[in-house]
Amino acid sequence: HSEFVEAIGPLHSSLLHGCDGMRVGKQQFMRRCAALAKPRFDKPAMDLEAVWGPLQSHGSVAEADVLWLEDLCRRDKKAGSSEQDLETVRKEHRQSLVRAGWARAAEDLRRLLQHRHGSILAGWRKGLDPDGNGELTEDELTEALERLRFKGKAADVWDALVADDVNVLKLKDLEPGATKALDAFKAQCIQRYGSLEQAFKKLDAKLKPLVSRQEFFGLCREIRFGQNQHLLFDFLDEKQVGSILLTNIDEQATHQA
C-alpha cells in the first residue's frame, strides 16, 4: 500500500479526480491504476487486487478510504506495524466510515432546510420544531424528518449531532455557528465597554430591553463585531417578530443594567 500511495501520487487529485461523489468503483479503479500493474524499472508489477481488497468499502473507494490509506502509510513509515496494529487501524477506519456517514446525513439535512426554508434557523423553527419547544427527542426528530421527506436516516442525524450523554437535540447542535457568534458578540461587548452590563446601558434602544434589528446592528457596528450579525439576530429572535430581548443574550446582565 505504501508503494501504491507513492506511485499513484496525491490520491485526491489523481484517483478521485472528476468522479461522481468523489467515489470510484472497481472497474474505474483498475482502469485508472492500470499502469501500476505493469513492471516499472526496478519495481515489479503491482497486485492491484491486493490493494483494492482492504481499501474498498461497499464495492467502491471514497475519499474517506483514501484518507485512511494515506494515514496508514504515514504511520507505517514512522514505526513498523504488526498485524495487531494493522487490525486496530482497520477498526478505526471502519469507525471513521460510520462517523463520516453520520456527518453526511447531518449536512444533507442542513442543505434540505436551507433549500426549503431559506436558512437552517428558519428550517428548525418551521420544519423541525414548529411548536417552539427549543429541543427535540429522537422520536420527535424522526417524525419531523418523515414530514420533510428527508431521504437520509434519522438515526444518523441524531448520532452526528447529539452527544452520548444527552437525550435531546437543540438548535445550537444543528447550527453551531450561531452560538459561536453569540460568544464572540459577548466578548466584543466586554472588550469595548468593560462588561455586558455597560454595553446594555450604552445601547440606544427606544423600547429597551426590547431591541429592533437596526438597533442591534448599530451595537454590532459600535463594538466592531466581525461575525455574521444577521445569523446572530435571527438566532436570538426566537419568535421571529423582528426584535429581540436583551435577556436572550444574557439575562443576568440585562437585570443588572
Side-chain angles (χ1 to χ4, degrees):
H1 281 93
S2 294
E3 291 180 5
F4 174 75
V5 170
E6 293 173 1
I8 199 70
L11 294 183
H12 290 85
S13 58
S14 57
L15 182 60
L16 301 177
H17 177 70
C19 299
D20 292 338
M22 294 295 283
R23 180 180 294 272
V24 292
K26 185 174 182 179
Q27 288 186 347
Q28 195 172 18
F29 176 86
M30 294 298 176
R31 187 166 57 250
R32 293 195 169 200
C33 303
L36 306 182
K38 301 176 182 179
R40 295 168 294 119
F41 302 106
D42 59 338
K43 294 184 178 181
M46 187 174 297
D47 185 353
L48 294 180
E49 288 286 350
V51 174
W52 168 262
L55 182 58
Q56 63 85 29
S57 57
H58 305 294
S60 63
V61 171
E63 185 175 15
D65 303 305
V66 170
L67 293 173
W68 166 76
L69 178 59
E70 292 176 336
D71 182 60
L72 173 62
C73 293
R74 280 195 295 268
R75 295 191 198 185
D76 194 51
K77 285 183 178 180
K78 292 181 180 179
S81 298
S82 66
E83 185 60 33
Q84 185 177 3
D85 293 333
L86 291 176
E87 183 55 36
T88 300
V89 172
R90 292 188 186 103
K91 183 178 180 181
E92 292 175 355
H93 173 50
R94 290 192 292 269
Q95 293 173 341
S96 70
L97 290 177
V98 172
R99 290 192 293 269
W102 295 349
R104 283 195 298 272
E107 285 306 307
D108 287 345
L109 175 58
R110 291 185 176 105
R111 284 193 290 269
L112 176 63
L113 295 177
Q114 288 174 326
H115 175 70
R116 293 270 184 88
H117 300 283
S119 71
I120 295 173
L121 292 174
W124 168 272
R125 289 165 178 156
K126 296 177 182 178
L128 296 180
D129 184 33
D131 295 333
N133 295 329
E135 58 187 34
L136 298 174
T137 65
E138 187 170 5
D139 288 341
E140 289 172 337
L141 174 65
T142 301
E143 292 174 3
L145 295 187
E146 288 176 353
R147 290 195 303 270
L148 289 171
R149 297 182 181 178
F150 178 63
K151 295 182 179 180
K153 295 180 180 179
D156 288 347
V157 174
W158 182 269
D159 289 333
L161 300 177
V162 182
D164 292 337
D165 57 345
V166 179
N167 58 7
V168 292
L169 173 68
K170 296 185 177 181
L171 174 56
K172 63 182 181 65
D173 302 316
L174 189 63
E175 180 55 288
T179 53
K180 291 179 181 178
L182 179 57
D183 291 339
F185 174 83
K186 291 180 179 180
Q188 284 297 110
C189 283
I190 293 172
Q191 181 177 338
R192 174 67 176 82
Y193 293 106
S195 68
L196 279 175
E197 294 89 339
Q198 286 300 315
F200 291 170
K201 286 181 180 179
K202 295 289 185 179
L203 173 62
D204 183 16
K206 296 179 179 179
L207 302 176
K208 195 164 50 177
L210 193 66
V211 180
S212 70
R213 182 182 293 269
Q214 292 306 315
E215 290 168 340
F216 178 77
F217 289 170
L219 177 58
C220 289
R221 289 192 296 272
E222 184 67 26
I223 64 173
R224 297 181 180 178
F225 181 58
Q227 301 282 332
N228 188 334
Q229 60 186 16
H230 295 278
L231 173 65
L232 179 55
F233 185 88
D234 290 341
F235 175 66
L236 296 171
D237 184 12
E238 297 177 348
K239 302 299 183 182
Q240 304 175 70
V241 294
S243 59
I244 63 173
L245 287 169
L246 291 178
T247 51
N248 292 349
I249 300 175
D250 191 291
E251 187 171 355
Q252 182 178 355
T254 302
H255 294 320
Q256 292 177 351

